[in-house]
Amino acid sequence: MISRRKLVIGGSLVVGSAALTTAVARTYPLRIRSPLEAADALTYTAQRALLSPNALAREFDRGMISKTFPAINTTDPEDEGYQRLRHGGFEAWQLPIDGLVDRPMTLSLKNLMGLPSRTQITQHNCVDGWSAIAEWTGVQLFRVLAHVGMRPEARFIGFESFDGWWNVCDMVDALHAQTMLTYGMNGAPLPIRHGAPVRLRLERQLGYRSLKYLKRITVLADAEDYKGGGGLSSRPYGYQWHAGI
């Protein structure tokens, strides 16, 4: 026979679970297709509820910069357009920014470098288990978004790269002080193997979210309303949309 205490506890768990499920459904911006993605949604919802949107990833002293920083996946895109830009020293590289903005525009590398810059020394954490510390120089994404003027209905930012990858982040990460479009690494121009001329740095996410070889930025109302849906191109391979650290 079930005791009154067990019945109360069991009922509380059911009610709590239902409330949590409702909260996740309201907060997580993507369609959940599997148990793994349900866990991703729960993690995302819990982190957004418990952590300040302004919490910073740890920054380090220059003496702690790693002597080697692995370059994995694409290290020199085969894209013909990218190769033409590379052989021209990226002088013709341009970054279109469109979608839900008041002033759609295309920024050159010179334009980006003309905006207020930031340098930060942070740790890149790879899903494969390695990490490395580097110094990154670039412009904070929130400054670029202010430059183009986001519309009130804007909720997400989509990124596309020359090596075929893409992903979406929410405004908490997009407007974070450490989220940058970087053009410098360890005091020198960003190397080809690390995403030249410009790569994204999402410092509070695992490394695969910091796309290299940026090609386009699109401001969105819906995280599913971009490319093939699902929030990032690697999601079908088991990668999580929310890879917070």
Side-chain angles (χ1 to χ4, degrees):
M1 183 175 181
I2 301 176
S3 68
R4 178 180 177 81
R5 182 172 181 273
K6 290 183 178 179
L7 184 61
V8 170
I9 293 175
S12 298
L13 289 174
V14 170
V15 172
S17 177
L20 182 58
T21 300
T22 300
V24 169
R26 289 177 178 173
T27 306
Y28 193 64
L30 304 175
R31 290 193 296 274
I32 298 174
R33 302 172 175 86
S34 70
L36 180 61
E37 292 176 359
D40 184 30
L42 177 59
T43 301
Y44 170 80
T45 302
Q47 187 176 67
R48 288 292 183 256
L50 297 173
L51 297 182
S52 166
N54 300 317
L56 299 175
R58 182 183 175 186
E59 296 190 19
F60 300 83
D61 296 327
R62 296 202 87 257
M64 299 184 73
I65 292 175
S66 301
K67 293 182 179 179
T68 60
F69 194 112
I72 63 173
N73 299 323
T74 308
T75 56
D76 189 4
E78 297 179 357
D79 182 89
E80 291 182 5
Y82 179 84
Q83 289 299 321
R84 286 195 297 271
L85 293 169
R86 177 191 172 183
H87 289 107
F90 297 114
E91 290 187 7
W93 176 87
Q94 293 184 320
L95 181 67
I97 305 175
D98 56 20
L100 298 175
V101 297
D102 294 326
R103 297 176 294 277
M105 63 181 66
T106 300
L107 300 177
S108 67
L109 185 57
K110 185 177 180 179
N111 293 149
L112 283 179
M113 296 178 74
L115 294 172
S117 66
R118 172 181 169 85
T119 294
Q120 59 196 30
I121 301 174
T122 54
Q123 181 168 284
H124 179 100
N125 296 284
C126 182
V127 71
D128 290 334
W130 61 268
S131 62
I133 295 171
E135 178 186 79
W136 307 98
T137 299
V139 56
Q140 291 156 300
L141 180 58
F142 77 80
R143 296 187 184 277
V144 176
L145 296 175
H147 195 57
V148 298
M150 291 191 297
R151 296 179 184 172
E153 61 268 33
R155 294 291 181 271
F156 302 92
I157 310 297
F159 305 92
E160 180 182 354
S161 70
F162 276 101
D163 58 348
W165 299 99
W166 57 267
N167 68 36
V168 175
C169 78
D170 66 9
M171 287 300 173
V172 172
D173 278 319
L175 301 180
H176 190 266
Q178 293 173 313
T179 297
M180 297 201 308
L181 307 182
T182 58
Y183 45 76
M185 181 180 182
N186 295 339
L190 189 66
I192 297 292
R193 64 184 182 277
H194 289 300
V198 175
R199 76 174 294 169
L200 173 67
R201 290 299 307 176
L202 284 175
E203 300 295 359
R204 302 198 306 174
Q205 301 270 325
L206 289 175
Y208 65 84
R209 300 282 271 124
S210 293
L211 292 184
K212 300 189 286 187
Y213 314 110
L214 279 186
K215 182 179 182 180
R216 179 182 294 272
I217 293 176
T218 303
V219 180
L220 310 161
D222 187 344
E224 285 280 7
D225 187 26
Y226 186 68
K227 300 292 183 180
L232 73 165
S233 52
S234 56
R235 200 175 183 204
Y237 305 105
Y239 288 80
Q240 297 165 311
W241 173 68
H242 176 67
I245 55 176

